[in-house]
Amino acid sequence: MGSVSLKIGHGNARFNRATLCSSVVHLLMLSSIVTTNLFALYAFTYSPSPPNTSSSVSHSSKNMSVISEHVALILREIEESQRRLRQIERELSGFDFFDLSRPNLPPELHTFLTSHPLPLGRDARSGLTHMLSSVSHQCGKSPSALDLLMQYMSYKAYSNCPSLDPGITQKLISKACEPLPRRRCLTKLSGKRGGRLPFPQSLWNPSPLPSTGTSGIDKKIWVKPRWKNDFLIDDVLQLAGSGGVKIGFDIGGGAGNFAARMAERNITVVTSVLNSGGKPMNELVAARGLFPIQITPSQHFPFYDGIFDLVHISSALDEGGAPAMGMAHRPEALEFLMFDIDRIIRTNGLLWIDNYHCSSDERGQDLIRIIERFRYKKLKWVLGEKEVNNEGHMQVYLSAILQKPNRG
């Protein structure tokens, strides 16, 4: 996983490790090839002086013995190189972080992580002979993440899923540990649900939920501006290119207010949601008739390239890296996030940066430099102050409407 970065210092640990291991792999392969060729050249070009006596038979026998030794040595070198390459591949993939012999490992976690023989035998490309699980190996790097994962996967198969801390999934994600699917336990309802109102009445008056209520719903946002950084939705939609806006993505959308405003205009918006203060905001977003998805800005967005007409983001720019992994507020983490946002926006689509808090001049300059690298057209760009929490304290915010260029 690489990127065209600005000035990367220490970077992501997994990224640096993969680069170093890749170099080692290349060096080992080169060394193995050179050694093999040298031994082969020596073995097949070696010719002793012509014998003058009847000892020629014994000399021929010795020559064959020497060649056999050289061939055996070459084979041992090749086998050793292959062994080291397989070990490096396993380390690079993160397959050796879990000790499956641990006595307190939950049975379901052990079942999921246990390797299984490949149906057609050894894979010629990778040298692997067993199939391993595709997720959760990152969790083994962090003891706290592994403890959370073991707690998450501690359940009895084919029974009801046990009650857990509502935020445990979010904690795992914040540690760059994708939660395993709880495939063999039955989800319990968290409480008695009332009937949902029909759409579109549900957009601004969803039936109260026991766990979330209706907190977070804002009926004035994007229709009544308070500061010059506040853009109106109708003004932004007028800036859209050919085809207008039909589908969008709201990153870190909270209670789904942006998606609700767009739904009023017959525009579908997917909202990334994380639980807030232990409250399952996904329930509130779904009760409004909107589409929530649980994902953080530090993860690869599970969408095809170039499908969104508009991507909306604000404070989630600060979450470009998983905080628990030490990546938050790092320029390269912000850059990786921007590359993934750029990937999912179609040509001439819009990126709406909405009231991003420039917590420091350095942070603001980092964002501006990264944006300029993508050569987006600036349709709107406002950098100004606004009051925070009605306390009279002013802070700098950036709002911008950017259009993705045609790079074909």
Side-chain angles (χ1 to χ4, degrees):
M1 226 175 28
S3 69
V4 182
S5 66
L6 294 175
K7 210 173 178 185
I8 297 179
H10 297 290
N12 181 286
R14 185 172 178 83
F15 178 82
N16 283 340
R17 183 182 179 198
T19 304
L20 177 60
C21 287
S22 299
S23 301
V24 173
V25 170
H26 293 157
L27 288 175
L28 284 173
M29 292 178 66
L30 180 61
S31 174
S32 176
I33 293 171
V34 171
T35 303
T36 302
N37 289 335
L38 287 176
F39 277 117
L41 181 64
Y42 176 77
F44 293 106
T45 59
Y46 174 77
S47 59
S49 301
N52 297 323
T53 66
S54 60
S55 62
S56 58
V57 175
S58 70
H59 278 297
S60 298
S61 204
K62 290 180 180 178
N63 290 341
M64 291 300 296
S65 177
V66 169
I67 292 175
S68 298
E69 289 178 3
H70 286 318
V71 172
L73 181 59
I74 290 171
L75 293 175
R76 285 197 298 270
E77 287 286 338
I78 292 174
E79 290 175 358
E80 178 62 19
S81 297
Q82 289 177 339
R83 187 192 65 79
R84 283 181 286 179
L85 286 173
R86 286 194 295 269
Q87 180 63 28
I88 289 172
E89 287 174 349
R90 289 181 63 83
E91 292 177 356
L92 225 151
S93 304
F95 293 150
D96 292 331
F97 284 109
F98 280 99
D99 179 10
L100 297 182
S101 64
R102 293 178 57 162
N104 57 343
L105 200 67
E108 285 294 285
L109 183 57
H110 185 278
T111 300
F112 190 90
L113 296 175
T114 299
S115 60
H116 303 279
L118 293 175
L120 299 180
R122 181 179 179 275
D123 180 69
R125 184 184 64 84
S126 65
L128 297 177
T129 58
H130 287 70
M131 182 183 299
L132 299 140
S133 63
S134 59
V135 296
S136 295
H137 292 283
Q138 187 76 7
C139 308
K141 294 182 178 181
S142 167
S144 58
L146 181 55
D147 290 341
L148 285 172
L149 183 62
M150 291 172 62
Q151 179 184 350
Y152 183 77
M153 294 296 290
S154 295
Y155 63 87
K156 184 178 180 181
Y158 308 111
S159 61
N160 289 334
C161 297
S163 300
L164 289 173
D165 174 6
I168 189 170
T169 304
Q170 183 173 339
K171 291 176 183 177
L172 284 168
I173 292 175
S174 71
K175 295 178 182 295
C177 173
E178 180 68 21
L180 285 170
R182 301 171 100 187
R183 294 183 172 179
R184 300 199 296 175
C185 68
L186 304 173
T187 303
K188 295 187 297 184
L189 296 178
S190 57
K192 187 177 179 180
R193 298 292 195 274
R196 291 181 176 177
L197 294 176
F199 190 86
Q201 292 93 324
S202 62
L203 282 176
W204 302 104
N205 295 289
S207 56
L209 302 173
S211 52
T212 63
T214 56
S215 61
I217 294 179
D218 189 340
K219 297 183 179 180
K220 298 180 180 180
I221 192 168
W222 299 298
V223 293
K224 292 184 178 181
R226 295 185 56 198
W227 307 95
K228 65 178 182 179
N229 304 70
D230 300 335
F231 298 158
L232 303 184
I233 279 185
D234 291 331
D235 293 342
V236 173
L237 294 179
Q238 290 178 2
L239 299 174
S242 59
V245 175
K246 298 183 181 67
I247 184 170
F249 180 36
D250 186 17
I251 304 175
N257 292 308
F258 182 79
R261 285 290 176 211
M262 287 296 191
E264 291 178 327
R265 292 154 178 81
N266 295 319
I267 298 171
T268 301
V269 171
V270 178
T271 304
S272 73
V273 179
L274 289 177
N275 296 337
S276 176
K279 296 181 178 180
M281 300 303 293
N282 60 308
E283 293 185 14
L284 176 59
V285 174
R288 299 178 75 172
L290 306 171
F291 186 177
I293 181 172
Q294 181 175 277
I295 192 170
T296 69
S298 62
Q299 293 176 278
H300 177 80
F301 297 136
F303 305 114
Y304 289 107
D305 297 354
I307 64 168
F308 289 113
D309 303 311
L310 181 146
V311 171
H312 176 264
I313 188 170
S314 55
S315 60
L317 282 169
D318 281 327
E319 301 171 15
M325 299 298 289
M327 285 296 293
H329 301 288
R330 295 279 291 275
E332 57 268 36
L334 177 60
E335 186 182 39
F336 291 155
L337 170 60
M338 288 297 298
F339 267 98
D340 211 27
I341 291 175
D342 176 78
R343 178 184 64 81
I344 61 177
I345 300 178
R346 69 170 177 86
T347 299
N348 296 324
L350 302 181
L351 169 59
W352 182 349
I353 298 176
D354 189 2
N355 280 282
Y356 169 66
H357 178 211
C358 300
S359 55
S360 66
D361 291 340
E362 181 181 3
R363 183 66 174 172
Q365 289 301 318
D366 285 339
L367 176 60
I368 292 172
R369 282 194 296 268
I370 292 173
I371 289 174
E372 289 176 348
R373 283 179 175 266
F374 289 93
R375 303 190 303 276
Y376 277 44
K377 182 179 180 181
K378 297 178 181 178
L379 304 181
K380 277 180 172 287
W381 185 277
V382 177
L383 187 66
E385 294 184 332
K386 73 174 187 176
E387 186 179 357
V388 181
N389 298 328
N390 297 320
E391 296 177 356
H393 181 59
M394 307 297 288
Q395 294 183 350
V396 177
Y397 286 79
L398 169 66
S399 289
I401 306 296
L402 309 171
Q403 188 173 46
K404 181 176 177 177
N406 187 345
R407 303 192 184 107

